[in-house]
Amino acid sequence: MAQCLIIADDLTGANATGVLLHKVGYSTYTVIDPADSDRTQVCSCDCLLYPTDSRSRSPRDAYKMVFDATTMLKRCDTKLFSKRIDSTLRGNLGQETDAMLDALGSGYIALVAPCFPSSGRIVCGGYMLVNSVPLHKTAAAMDPKNPVTTSRVEDIFRSQSKYSVAAIDLESLHKGKEYVRKQIVSLAGQGIKTILFDCISDDDLELIADAGIASDVPFISVGPGPFTATVIKKTITPQTEKNNGAILLVIGSVNPVTKMQVDEILPSRDIFVSIVEPEKLVASVDSREKEITRVINATLSASGDFHIFAIIGAGIDPDKRINLSAYEELRGCSDEELSTSINESFAAMTAAILDKNPDIRALYTSGGDITVAVCKALDVSGIRLHSEVLPLAAYGDLCGGKYNGLKIITKGGMAGDKYALKDCIAYLNTHI
């Protein structure tokens, strides 16, 4: 059964949120007609979306439609409930949020983070700005069905909701997660049902989600999509079948961004990790061969129990980085030649693991030098590119050689936020 239920006020909004979630690895299904829905899809998806088409209805009708939909679709094992609202605050926001709260029971509160940073929608000082323009001065103000007459989010919710409303500003967010967590707990204890947040960036959404989860107060996420996606990433693991194919991660980058991304993904997924010791790759020819063999054998021995495998250079930890110049005289090589040897070693491991584990159907490489070495080792003539997963992370198929057609994501070592690796893995899962 779906782990997340999202009630949206219109179909396009539901689908936009569903696509946002699908992009990061969650299976989503939009219900048009509950009586005629594909039960297999409903039961197997991660996130179920239901559009009530209530944005332009009367407040009374909108309340009933959301209440009935939530009551009909909620399940005891649903982990997260969300109310999707318009990104420009049109419609019956307060009434629909009330309806979902009422359908779920008295213990729930609503955390409302209505910003959509990538679309230029932010909330600062309680006011929504769209590309730096106050909301009531944008085209939303002239919507023939749902005109917006104020940019102040609190005014909209207070005028529409029967419940008490409070707001948490940017200054509070800057005091950190623990401070915000205490505010949520305190406001909920005072009987506040709807808590609004200033939010101007994805980092703000991260903090709000972390504080809400840490509060242990049952809540519904309310927003146009990004806030709910952030909460979902922190609370729900995608349902991934192992028979879809395995993924091999090859990570040789040693910069802090890559370490941050690896640290984020390792505790949250069932990944077999082989740490490669770079000094063993450059100390001697014999130690290099032994280290390559060790990593290959260790990774292959886990092939029956894991879906994702990673070979990661120990140098990702600053304390374990080696000074190549110390080996120049010992090996009679330049630091450039030693660096090339390390990259070629990673490539040799990759080729051997792919050769002996046919279940691997997708590859992820981090770092330009590593990617080039891997492509050479696999005798790749080119990469047929399909899409951008995130800036500087490209998805495509290998062309030529033994692994023609193998899915791959290549990413610059410095690219992306802390969720970049998680998002890339999720993207590959949806495409194999």
Side-chain angles (χ1 to χ4, degrees):
M1 191 58 68
Q3 302 178 76
C4 173
L5 173 63
I6 302 170
I7 305 296
D9 65 352
D10 77 338
L11 177 58
T12 55
N15 288 342
T17 301
V19 169
L20 185 67
L21 294 171
H22 180 74
K23 185 177 179 181
V24 293
Y26 294 92
S27 56
T28 58
Y29 182 75
T30 299
V31 175
I32 304 296
D33 181 359
D36 193 37
S37 292
D38 185 329
R39 187 158 187 79
T40 300
Q41 293 288 342
V42 170
C43 292
S44 64
C45 70
D46 294 313
C47 301
L48 189 67
L49 300 106
Y50 182 73
T52 53
D53 193 26
S54 53
R55 181 178 300 172
S56 301
R57 301 297 185 95
S58 70
R60 182 185 181 92
D61 288 346
Y63 175 96
K64 185 177 187 308
M65 294 169 80
V66 172
F67 181 89
D68 290 347
T70 305
T71 302
M72 172 180 58
L73 296 170
K74 68 178 181 178
R75 298 290 184 271
C76 61
D77 56 350
T78 304
K79 295 180 180 179
L80 178 66
F81 296 93
S82 173
K83 181 68 197 69
R84 199 275 179 185
I85 61 174
D86 176 55
S87 64
T88 54
L89 307 181
R90 294 171 297 166
N92 300 291
L93 285 61
Q95 293 90 348
E96 295 190 7
T97 300
D98 289 354
M100 198 165 202
L101 290 172
D102 290 346
L104 295 175
S106 60
Y108 276 82
I109 64 171
L111 301 186
V112 185
C115 80
F116 204 136
S118 63
S119 295
R121 275 81 161 157
I122 65 171
V123 180
C124 183
Y127 291 88
M128 172 164 279
L129 305 177
V130 180
N131 295 320
S132 302
V133 178
L135 178 63
H136 71 279
K137 293 188 176 182
T138 68
M142 298 177 287
D143 187 294
K145 291 185 177 180
N146 303 281
V148 178
T149 59
T150 178
S151 301
R152 187 169 170 79
V153 181
E154 190 170 348
D155 288 350
I156 295 174
F157 273 87
R158 285 189 181 279
S159 67
Q160 294 185 3
S161 176
K162 64 183 178 182
Y163 290 122
S164 51
V165 176
I168 294 179
D169 58 17
L170 282 177
E171 184 177 354
S172 295
L173 297 188
H174 292 162
K175 294 179 181 179
K177 182 187 82 171
E178 180 59 19
Y179 183 84
V180 176
R181 182 195 70 80
K182 290 179 178 178
Q183 281 196 304
I184 292 172
V185 172
S186 175
L187 291 171
Q190 298 170 39
I192 302 295
K193 298 288 286 184
T194 301
I195 303 176
L196 314 174
F197 291 89
D198 277 6
C199 41
I200 63 174
S201 68
D202 291 331
D203 287 341
D204 290 337
L205 294 177
E206 295 275 350
L207 189 150
I208 297 165
D210 286 338
I213 294 166
S215 74
D216 287 329
V217 178
F219 69 90
I220 65 171
S221 62
V222 182
F227 178 49
T228 291
T230 301
V231 177
I232 287 174
K233 280 203 257 186
K234 293 176 179 292
T235 56
I236 295 175
T237 301
Q239 302 177 60
T240 304
E241 296 183 14
K242 289 188 177 181
N243 60 11
N244 284 341
I247 297 171
L248 176 62
L249 316 176
V250 186
I251 301 171
S253 303
V254 296
N255 62 71
V257 175
T258 301
K259 184 178 188 305
M260 174 180 67
Q261 294 165 354
V262 169
D263 288 345
E264 178 64 29
I265 194 66
L266 293 186
S268 62
R269 282 184 178 269
D270 191 22
I271 301 176
F272 182 83
V273 178
S274 290
I275 299 297
V276 182
E277 302 294 338
E279 65 271 18
K280 293 182 180 179
L281 298 177
V282 298
S284 68
V285 173
D286 182 57
S287 68
R288 175 180 184 269
E289 293 304 317
K290 287 182 178 178
E291 180 65 359
I292 290 174
T293 300
R294 180 190 69 80
V295 172
I296 292 170
N297 290 340
T299 304
L300 292 174
S301 69
S303 60
D305 301 315
F306 289 84
H307 166 69
I308 302 172
F309 309 90
I311 53 176
I312 302 174
I316 199 169
D317 184 340
D319 295 333
K320 296 182 179 180
R321 291 174 192 165
I322 62 172
N323 182 3
L324 290 178
S325 62
Y327 292 89
E328 289 182 40
E329 185 175 350
L330 175 66
R331 295 291 309 280
C333 301
S334 68
D335 62 348
E336 181 65 27
E337 290 172 321
L338 292 172
S339 178
T340 298
S341 178
I342 292 174
N343 293 329
E344 290 176 347
S345 299
F346 273 85
M349 298 172 202
T350 302
I353 293 168
L354 287 173
D355 185 55
K356 296 181 180 180
N357 186 352
D359 288 338
I360 295 175
R361 295 177 57 193
L363 192 62
Y364 167 92
T365 61
S366 175
D369 293 339
I370 288 287
T371 300
V372 169
V374 167
C375 287
K376 286 183 178 178
L378 300 183
D379 196 25
V380 172
S381 61
I383 299 175
R384 182 182 296 107
L385 297 172
H386 296 305
S387 58
E388 179 186 69
V389 182
L390 49 91
L392 296 180
Y395 166 72
D397 303 329
L398 297 184
C399 297
K402 184 176 180 180
Y403 302 101
N404 183 65
L406 184 73
K407 308 298 183 185
I408 186 170
I409 288 179
T410 63
K411 189 183 78 63
M414 293 286 290
D417 61 12
K418 68 177 182 178
Y419 289 110
L421 177 53
K422 179 182 286 187
D423 290 346
C424 287
I425 292 173
Y427 194 92
L428 287 174
N429 270 326
T430 66
H431 287 76
I432 57 174

